[in-house]
Amino acid sequence: MKNDRRVIDAATLENLRRTILTMFAKNSFNDVGIREICKKARVSPQTIYKYFGSKEEMLYACVRQDIEKLNEQALAAARRPRSADQQIRAFFEAWVQYFAKNPNIASIVFLNIPQTYWVSKRHFLQLRVSLAGHATIKRGQKAGVITKKIDPILLQDLMMGACHRVMIRWLTLEKNNLPALSKQMITGVMNMIKA
């Protein structure tokens, strides 16, 4: 049996992943072509399509480990405080810090991946974070520190939607202003959820 030339070894795969992340961090999704990726990463288009299936799946696969690392750090930070509202604050502080240290990942997440990706069941990298957030909101509502006027799932969507918009503002309009923007963003989230 012949060796399949489209199989990617670990070093080539990591080179491809880094190439993809670099290209999507600097360009919009539609401006990055498979042929250009292949040329820079020195792989064939057939290899990419066999390994990933599509350009969208390729991008999601390449950012997955970064999102998993973000999730771990943010969830770990949220476990430290005792009250539900302070856990939410700690989560968003860690969330912002991660993106501040990884602006290329931030560019991909907020400028290249459609919002439907983050809420659909099929591509839901955020399931564990979402379930933890939902449970924290419900616990905070029960304790009287988080508003009961808004359904926990909708409140979580409102928080994440607002935070995504602030991050887009940072990446497109106020590139040197993340500390001030994030401080205001977290203040806004805390006011939004206050009982």
Side-chain angles (χ1 to χ4, degrees):
M1 188 164 115
K2 284 185 175 180
N3 284 343
D4 188 342
R5 292 183 196 168
R6 294 173 293 181
V7 173
I8 304 175
D9 65 69
T12 303
L13 183 59
E14 182 56 21
N15 178 52
L16 176 59
R17 189 182 86 80
R18 290 187 185 282
T19 300
I20 290 166
L21 292 178
T22 300
M23 292 178 72
F24 280 102
K26 295 178 181 170
N27 302 287
S28 71
F29 183 83
N30 293 328
D31 291 337
V32 177
I34 294 292
R35 291 188 193 285
E36 186 181 359
I37 291 168
C38 292
K39 185 177 177 182
K40 288 188 180 199
R42 297 186 180 134
V43 298
S44 72
Q46 294 88 348
T47 300
I48 287 182
Y49 287 115
K50 179 181 181 198
Y51 198 82
F52 297 109
S54 70
K55 184 174 160 183
E56 291 84 1
E57 291 298 325
M58 175 188 68
L59 181 57
Y60 303 151
C62 289
V63 79
R64 178 178 303 275
Q65 72 186 49
D66 299 288
I67 297 303
E68 288 171 355
K69 189 173 182 181
L70 161 65
N71 291 345
E72 288 300 318
Q73 289 177 12
L75 287 172
R79 283 187 211 107
R80 291 185 198 115
R82 291 187 180 204
S83 69
D85 58 335
Q86 291 307 306
Q87 286 180 332
I88 290 170
R89 175 184 291 279
F91 174 88
F92 281 110
E93 287 171 349
W95 188 80
V96 168
Q97 286 173 6
Y98 182 85
F99 287 120
K101 291 177 183 174
N102 299 282
N104 284 352
I105 299 302
S107 291
I108 293 167
V109 166
F110 299 111
L111 302 178
N112 273 317
I113 296 179
Q115 288 294 307
T116 55
Y117 176 82
W118 300 113
V119 295
S120 71
K121 295 292 181 199
R122 184 169 166 242
H123 298 296
F124 208 48
L125 281 176
Q126 299 294 90
L127 182 60
R128 202 173 67 155
V129 169
S130 182
L131 292 174
H134 185 245
T136 302
I137 291 168
K138 285 179 82 170
R139 195 169 32 78
Q141 287 176 326
K142 188 175 180 181
V145 296
I146 294 178
T147 183
K148 295 177 183 177
K149 294 179 183 178
I150 304 171
D151 175 79
I153 294 172
L154 182 57
L155 185 56
Q156 188 172 19
D157 284 343
L158 289 168
M159 287 188 298
M160 291 309 298
C163 291
H164 274 236
R165 286 289 296 261
V166 171
M167 298 305 277
I168 291 168
R169 171 173 284 286
W170 163 54
L171 291 164
T172 59
L173 300 173
E174 300 185 42
K175 291 183 181 187
N176 297 320
N177 200 22
L178 185 59
L181 283 173
S182 64
K183 184 176 180 182
Q184 290 179 46
M185 177 189 83
I186 292 169
T187 299
V189 164
M190 299 314 292
N191 286 331
M192 182 189 309
I193 68 170
K194 191 183 296 185

mmCIF file of all heavy atoms in Angstrom, residues 12-38:
data_model
loop_
_atom_site.group_PDB
_atom_site.id
_atom_site.type_symbol
_atom_site.label_atom_id
_atom_site.label_comp_id
_atom_site.label_asym_id
_atom_site.label_seq_id
_atom_site.Cartn_x
_atom_site.Cartn_y
_atom_site.Cartn_z
ATOM 1 N N THR A 12 4.700 19.399 10.669
ATOM 2 C CA THR A 12 4.059 20.087 9.540
ATOM 3 C C THR A 12 2.704 20.638 9.966
ATOM 4 O O THR A 12 2.336 21.762 9.593
ATOM 5 C CB THR A 12 3.897 19.131 8.339
ATOM 6 O OG1 THR A 12 5.190 18.629 7.985
ATOM 7 C CG2 THR A 12 3.277 19.821 7.148
ATOM 8 N N LEU A 13 1.975 19.872 10.753
ATOM 9 C CA LEU A 13 0.671 20.320 11.233
ATOM 10 C C LEU A 13 0.796 21.566 12.103
ATOM 11 O O LEU A 13 0.025 22.519 11.956
ATOM 12 C CB LEU A 13 -0.031 19.201 12.005
ATOM 13 C CG LEU A 13 -1.434 19.517 12.510
ATOM 14 C CD1 LEU A 13 -2.367 19.883 11.366
ATOM 15 C CD2 LEU A 13 -1.991 18.336 13.288
ATOM 16 N N GLU A 14 1.789 21.592 12.991
ATOM 17 C CA GLU A 14 1.980 22.770 13.840
ATOM 18 C C GLU A 14 2.420 23.967 12.999
ATOM 19 O O GLU A 14 1.976 25.094 13.241
ATOM 20 C CB GLU A 14 2.995 22.491 14.955
ATOM 21 C CG GLU A 14 3.221 23.647 15.905
ATOM 22 C CD GLU A 14 1.964 24.181 16.597
ATOM 23 O OE1 GLU A 14 0.942 23.470 16.702
ATOM 24 O OE2 GLU A 14 2.008 25.343 17.049
ATOM 25 N N ASN A 15 3.275 23.753 11.997
ATOM 26 C CA ASN A 15 3.666 24.836 11.085
ATOM 27 C C ASN A 15 2.443 25.359 10.335
ATOM 28 O O ASN A 15 2.267 26.574 10.192
ATOM 29 C CB ASN A 15 4.727 24.341 10.098
ATOM 30 C CG ASN A 15 5.115 25.422 9.124
ATOM 31 O OD1 ASN A 15 5.458 26.541 9.498
ATOM 32 N ND2 ASN A 15 5.038 25.102 7.833
ATOM 33 N N LEU A 16 1.598 24.457 9.878
ATOM 34 C CA LEU A 16 0.368 24.845 9.186
ATOM 35 C C LEU A 16 -0.531 25.639 10.116
ATOM 36 O O LEU A 16 -1.066 26.682 9.753
ATOM 37 C CB LEU A 16 -0.357 23.599 8.654
ATOM 38 C CG LEU A 16 -1.712 23.820 7.986
ATOM 39 C CD1 LEU A 16 -1.588 24.747 6.787
ATOM 40 C CD2 LEU A 16 -2.307 22.477 7.570
ATOM 41 N N ARG A 17 -0.696 25.174 11.348
ATOM 42 C CA ARG A 17 -1.543 25.870 12.322
ATOM 43 C C ARG A 17 -1.041 27.283 12.574
ATOM 44 O O ARG A 17 -1.800 28.252 12.547
ATOM 45 C CB ARG A 17 -1.574 25.086 13.645
ATOM 46 C CG ARG A 17 -2.598 25.614 14.643
ATOM 47 C CD ARG A 17 -2.554 24.823 15.948
ATOM 48 N NE ARG A 17 -1.562 25.353 16.857
ATOM 49 C CZ ARG A 17 -1.742 26.428 17.622
ATOM 50 N NH1 ARG A 17 -2.873 27.089 17.598
ATOM 51 N NH2 ARG A 17 -0.786 26.845 18.410
ATOM 52 N N ARG A 18 0.248 27.418 12.781
ATOM 53 C CA ARG A 18 0.818 28.757 13.026
ATOM 54 C C ARG A 18 0.663 29.666 11.798
ATOM 55 O O ARG A 18 0.375 30.852 11.935
ATOM 56 C CB ARG A 18 2.283 28.646 13.434
ATOM 57 C CG ARG A 18 2.455 28.047 14.813
ATOM 58 C CD ARG A 18 3.912 28.110 15.273
ATOM 59 N NE ARG A 18 4.098 27.451 16.529
ATOM 60 C CZ ARG A 18 3.779 27.961 17.716
ATOM 61 N NH1 ARG A 18 3.229 29.147 17.773
ATOM 62 N NH2 ARG A 18 3.993 27.290 18.825
ATOM 63 N N THR A 19 0.852 29.113 10.628
ATOM 64 C CA THR A 19 0.665 29.885 9.389
ATOM 65 C C THR A 19 -0.772 30.373 9.285
ATOM 66 O O THR A 19 -1.019 31.546 8.981
ATOM 67 C CB THR A 19 1.028 29.026 8.157
ATOM 68 O OG1 THR A 19 2.392 28.618 8.269
ATOM 69 C CG2 THR A 19 0.818 29.784 6.866
ATOM 70 N N ILE A 20 -1.707 29.480 9.527
ATOM 71 C CA ILE A 20 -3.127 29.820 9.446
ATOM 72 C C ILE A 20 -3.476 30.903 10.457
ATOM 73 O O ILE A 20 -4.131 31.900 10.118
ATOM 74 C CB ILE A 20 -3.989 28.555 9.655
ATOM 75 C CG1 ILE A 20 -3.838 27.627 8.442
ATOM 76 C CG2 ILE A 20 -5.455 28.908 9.900
ATOM 77 C CD1 ILE A 20 -4.351 26.216 8.671
ATOM 78 N N LEU A 21 -3.031 30.739 11.698
ATOM 79 C CA LEU A 21 -3.338 31.735 12.731
ATOM 80 C C LEU A 21 -2.751 33.096 12.391
ATOM 81 O O LEU A 21 -3.410 34.122 12.544
ATOM 82 C CB LEU A 21 -2.839 31.252 14.096
ATOM 83 C CG LEU A 21 -3.565 30.037 14.677
ATOM 84 C CD1 LEU A 21 -2.940 29.632 16.010
ATOM 85 C CD2 LEU A 21 -5.044 30.282 14.830
ATOM 86 N N THR A 22 -1.515 33.113 11.904
ATOM 87 C CA THR A 22 -0.879 34.381 11.525
ATOM 88 C C THR A 22 -1.642 35.063 10.398
ATOM 89 O O THR A 22 -1.910 36.262 10.455
ATOM 90 C CB THR A 22 0.588 34.143 11.100
ATOM 91 O OG1 THR A 22 1.287 33.574 12.212
ATOM 92 C CG2 THR A 22 1.251 35.424 10.661
ATOM 93 N N MET A 23 -2.030 34.287 9.398
ATOM 94 C CA MET A 23 -2.717 34.874 8.243
ATOM 95 C C MET A 23 -4.109 35.393 8.602
ATOM 96 O O MET A 23 -4.504 36.469 8.167
ATOM 97 C CB MET A 23 -2.772 33.867 7.097
ATOM 98 C CG MET A 23 -1.393 33.590 6.512
ATOM 99 S SD MET A 23 -1.414 32.376 5.199
ATOM 100 C CE MET A 23 -2.184 33.337 3.908
ATOM 101 N N PHE A 24 -4.845 34.641 9.407
ATOM 102 C CA PHE A 24 -6.192 35.083 9.779
ATOM 103 C C PHE A 24 -6.165 36.208 10.809
ATOM 104 O O PHE A 24 -7.117 36.975 10.896
ATOM 105 C CB PHE A 24 -7.036 33.907 10.278
ATOM 106 C CG PHE A 24 -7.606 33.086 9.163
ATOM 107 C CD1 PHE A 24 -7.036 31.883 8.821
ATOM 108 C CD2 PHE A 24 -8.707 33.521 8.448
ATOM 109 C CE1 PHE A 24 -7.548 31.112 7.783
ATOM 110 C CE2 PHE A 24 -9.238 32.772 7.408
ATOM 111 C CZ PHE A 24 -8.654 31.558 7.071
ATOM 112 N N ALA A 25 -5.102 36.315 11.577
ATOM 113 C CA ALA A 25 -4.990 37.413 12.537
ATOM 114 C C ALA A 25 -4.772 38.741 11.832
ATOM 115 O O ALA A 25 -5.166 39.790 12.332
ATOM 116 C CB ALA A 25 -3.856 37.149 13.517
ATOM 117 N N LYS A 26 -4.175 38.691 10.642
ATOM 118 C CA LYS A 26 -3.852 39.920 9.913
ATOM 119 C C LYS A 26 -4.833 40.253 8.799
ATOM 120 O O LYS A 26 -4.785 41.349 8.254
ATOM 121 C CB LYS A 26 -2.444 39.801 9.331
ATOM 122 C CG LYS A 26 -1.382 39.729 10.392
ATOM 123 C CD LYS A 26 -0.005 39.564 9.814
ATOM 124 C CE LYS A 26 1.011 39.485 10.941
ATOM 125 N NZ LYS A 26 2.314 39.096 10.516
ATOM 126 N N ASN A 27 -5.691 39.303 8.443
ATOM 127 C CA ASN A 27 -6.598 39.497 7.315
ATOM 128 C C ASN A 27 -7.998 39.001 7.664
ATOM 129 O O ASN A 27 -8.157 38.155 8.539
ATOM 130 C CB ASN A 27 -6.100 38.694 6.095
ATOM 131 C CG ASN A 27 -4.709 39.092 5.684
ATOM 132 O OD1 ASN A 27 -4.496 40.145 5.131
ATOM 133 N ND2 ASN A 27 -3.735 38.246 5.999
ATOM 134 N N SER A 28 -8.981 39.497 6.928
ATOM 135 C CA SER A 28 -10.341 39.008 7.147
ATOM 136 C C SER A 28 -10.477 37.617 6.544
ATOM 137 O O SER A 28 -9.688 37.207 5.687
ATOM 138 C CB SER A 28 -11.360 39.958 6.512
ATOM 139 O OG SER A 28 -11.317 39.866 5.106
ATOM 140 N N PHE A 29 -11.484 36.895 7.001
ATOM 141 C CA PHE A 29 -11.700 35.518 6.583
ATOM 142 C C PHE A 29 -11.716 35.385 5.062
ATOM 143 O O PHE A 29 -11.077 34.499 4.502
ATOM 144 C CB PHE A 29 -13.019 34.996 7.180
ATOM 145 C CG PHE A 29 -13.287 33.558 6.850
ATOM 146 C CD1 PHE A 29 -12.715 32.553 7.606
ATOM 147 C CD2 PHE A 29 -14.100 33.214 5.786
ATOM 148 C CE1 PHE A 29 -12.945 31.216 7.312
ATOM 149 C CE2 PHE A 29 -14.350 31.883 5.483
ATOM 150 C CZ PHE A 29 -13.769 30.891 6.241
ATOM 151 N N ASN A 30 -12.444 36.286 4.387
ATOM 152 C CA ASN A 30 -12.582 36.196 2.932
ATOM 153 C C ASN A 30 -11.319 36.570 2.174
ATOM 154 O O ASN A 30 -11.179 36.235 1.002
ATOM 155 C CB ASN A 30 -13.754 37.052 2.451
ATOM 156 C CG ASN A 30 -15.077 36.503 2.924
ATOM 157 O OD1 ASN A 30 -15.242 35.292 3.070
ATOM 158 N ND2 ASN A 30 -16.030 37.385 3.186
ATOM 159 N N ASP A 31 -10.398 37.259 2.843
ATOM 160 C CA ASP A 31 -9.161 37.671 2.179
ATOM 161 C C ASP A 31 -8.039 36.635 2.277
ATOM 162 O O ASP A 31 -6.982 36.813 1.689
ATOM 163 C CB ASP A 31 -8.667 39.004 2.750
ATOM 164 C CG ASP A 31 -9.581 40.151 2.368
ATOM 165 O OD1 ASP A 31 -10.298 40.039 1.355
ATOM 166 O OD2 ASP A 31 -9.593 41.168 3.097
ATOM 167 N N VAL A 32 -8.269 35.578 3.042
ATOM 168 C CA VAL A 32 -7.261 34.524 3.176
ATOM 169 C C VAL A 32 -7.669 33.363 2.290
ATOM 170 O O VAL A 32 -8.757 32.811 2.422
ATOM 171 C CB VAL A 32 -7.135 34.049 4.644
ATOM 172 C CG1 VAL A 32 -6.137 32.912 4.751
ATOM 173 C CG2 VAL A 32 -6.728 35.206 5.547
ATOM 174 N N GLY A 33 -6.785 32.999 1.371
ATOM 175 C CA GLY A 33 -7.074 31.902 0.452
ATOM 176 C C GLY A 33 -6.315 30.634 0.806
ATOM 177 O O GLY A 33 -5.198 30.694 1.338
ATOM 178 N N ILE A 34 -6.924 29.525 0.484
ATOM 179 C CA ILE A 34 -6.300 28.222 0.739
ATOM 180 C C ILE A 34 -4.962 28.104 0.014
ATOM 181 O O ILE A 34 -3.978 27.622 0.569
ATOM 182 C CB ILE A 34 -7.240 27.071 0.320
ATOM 183 C CG1 ILE A 34 -8.489 27.059 1.201
ATOM 184 C CG2 ILE A 34 -6.533 25.725 0.366
ATOM 185 C CD1 ILE A 34 -8.259 26.681 2.638
ATOM 186 N N ARG A 35 -4.899 28.554 -1.235
ATOM 187 C CA ARG A 35 -3.647 28.442 -2.005
ATOM 188 C C ARG A 35 -2.509 29.231 -1.352
ATOM 189 O O ARG A 35 -1.375 28.779 -1.307
ATOM 190 C CB ARG A 35 -3.860 28.901 -3.443
ATOM 191 C CG ARG A 35 -4.736 27.955 -4.224
ATOM 192 C CD ARG A 35 -4.767 28.343 -5.705
ATOM 193 N NE ARG A 35 -5.810 27.656 -6.424
ATOM 194 C CZ ARG A 35 -5.779 26.384 -6.782
ATOM 195 N NH1 ARG A 35 -4.743 25.646 -6.470
ATOM 196 N NH2 ARG A 35 -6.785 25.838 -7.431
ATOM 197 N N GLU A 36 -2.848 30.406 -0.839
ATOM 198 C CA GLU A 36 -1.832 31.225 -0.173
ATOM 199 C C GLU A 36 -1.348 30.530 1.117
ATOM 200 O O GLU A 36 -0.158 30.512 1.409
ATOM 201 C CB GLU A 36 -2.429 32.597 0.156
ATOM 202 C CG GLU A 36 -1.430 33.578 0.726
ATOM 203 C CD GLU A 36 -2.066 34.917 1.054
ATOM 204 O OE1 GLU A 36 -3.280 35.108 0.833
ATOM 205 O OE2 GLU A 36 -1.333 35.768 1.576
ATOM 206 N N ILE A 37 -2.273 29.958 1.853
ATOM 207 C CA ILE A 37 -1.914 29.205 3.062
ATOM 208 C C ILE A 37 -0.989 28.046 2.690
ATOM 209 O O ILE A 37 0.045 27.834 3.325
ATOM 210 C CB ILE A 37 -3.170 28.670 3.786
ATOM 211 C CG1 ILE A 37 -3.968 29.835 4.387
ATOM 212 C CG2 ILE A 37 -2.800 27.657 4.865
ATOM 213 C CD1 ILE A 37 -5.350 29.451 4.869
ATOM 214 N N CYS A 38 -1.388 27.314 1.660
ATOM 215 C CA CYS A 38 -0.599 26.148 1.225
ATOM 216 C C CYS A 38 0.809 26.547 0.817
ATOM 217 O O CYS A 38 1.781 25.869 1.162
ATOM 218 C CB CYS A 38 -1.311 25.447 0.069
ATOM 219 S SG CYS A 38 -2.840 24.663 0.575
#
